[in-house]
Amino acid sequence: LNISSVQDRQETFQVLDPRVLNWAHETDAWVHGYWSYDWADSFLQVTHIVENKSTAEPQISVAGPVLYGLSKGAKFYGINLLSELDSPGEYYLDRSPTSKTYGRLFFWPPSDLSTAEAFVSLGDYTLVLGGSARGVGRAADVFARAAAEYAAASAATAATAPQNTATESLDVPCSFLRKELLEAEALDRAAAHHLHARGSGGQHREGVRGG
């Protein structure tokens, strides 16, 4: 979907597709989008959906703040919408305490579960490297061939890392949940990472030194 017009860059926008009005009854609707730039995405909780009286277009209000603001033409899609659960691989989690199905996960498997596996991630992090650069380097040597699987947030994070070390060969098959899968601050090299089945970002690096 695309934003057709913006009423408030931190809160309200309109779309052309009338199917969005079906989301109005959803109890925990979210949207994920690239709201101003194609390299800056975020998840926003939907607070209100109505039909704009002037344009007859669906109007969506979200809980900000919105990084860089909302922009006309921005790309987005809906998340956690029971009314949109119509394809293999999609899911809906009922988190409304007043619902009869509170706490229940509705999941359409992408394949036959008698011959496949399905996982629900609950942990925020799988592997955390921290402390001094020397300590991170030693930890990276230990976990260089490890597989970090199905993290709900980041599969691996390093607050400080020396050149040519931390998690260079980390294999990261992660779940479909909605946070960055690799949040590695100050990693100097990540060429050997293998990221797949990721929900959002592949890797996030800050303070990178040469190498």
Side-chain angles (χ1 to χ4, degrees):
L1 297 170
N2 295 90
I3 293 178
S4 60
S5 62
V6 175
Q7 284 64 51
D8 184 320
R9 283 181 54 81
Q10 286 295 319
E11 182 179 16
T12 308
F13 61 92
Q14 293 183 32
V15 296
L16 296 177
D17 196 333
R19 69 185 293 179
V20 172
L21 292 174
N22 296 330
W23 303 356
H25 69 278
E26 299 282 353
T27 59
D28 189 25
W30 290 71
V31 286
H32 172 254
Y34 296 82
W35 306 111
S36 283
Y37 303 101
D38 286 344
W39 46 265
D41 66 311
S42 63
F43 295 86
L44 302 172
Q45 187 171 22
V46 175
T47 59
H48 196 51
I49 297 178
V50 296
E51 183 180 69
N52 185 283
K53 294 181 179 180
S54 300
T55 64
E57 295 179 0
Q59 180 171 292
I60 301 176
S61 297
V62 296
V66 183
L67 184 64
Y68 305 115
L70 301 165
S71 298
K72 182 178 180 179
K75 302 182 292 292
F76 76 97
Y77 60 90
I79 294 176
N80 207 42
L81 304 168
L82 183 60
S83 60
E84 296 287 352
L85 204 166
D86 57 5
S87 300
E90 296 182 346
Y91 69 96
Y92 167 76
L93 178 61
D94 189 341
R95 301 193 299 179
S96 175
T98 60
S99 172
K100 293 182 179 180
T101 56
Y102 172 61
R104 185 173 298 177
L105 173 66
F106 298 81
F107 173 50
W108 189 330
S111 60
D112 187 354
L113 289 182
S114 64
T115 57
E117 294 180 311
F119 296 87
V120 176
S121 298
L122 298 177
D124 286 339
Y125 291 93
T126 298
L127 175 64
V128 180
L129 307 178
S132 66
R134 177 177 296 180
V136 171
R138 290 174 177 172
D141 290 337
V142 173
F143 292 104
R145 295 293 184 267
E149 299 184 344
Y150 310 111
S154 299
T157 181
T160 306
Q163 183 173 340
N164 299 337
T165 53
T167 63
E168 285 191 6
S169 299
L170 189 67
D171 186 46
V172 190
C174 287
S175 72
F176 50 78
L177 297 184
R178 66 169 181 254
K179 295 185 179 180
E180 288 88 351
L181 302 185
L182 181 64
E183 182 186 336
E185 298 179 359
L187 287 184
D188 287 308
R189 286 183 60 184
H193 287 142
H194 303 287
L195 305 179
H196 52 92
R198 60 192 190 275
S200 182
Q203 55 180 286
H204 172 74
R205 298 185 291 172
E206 297 179 6
V208 176
R209 301 188 299 277

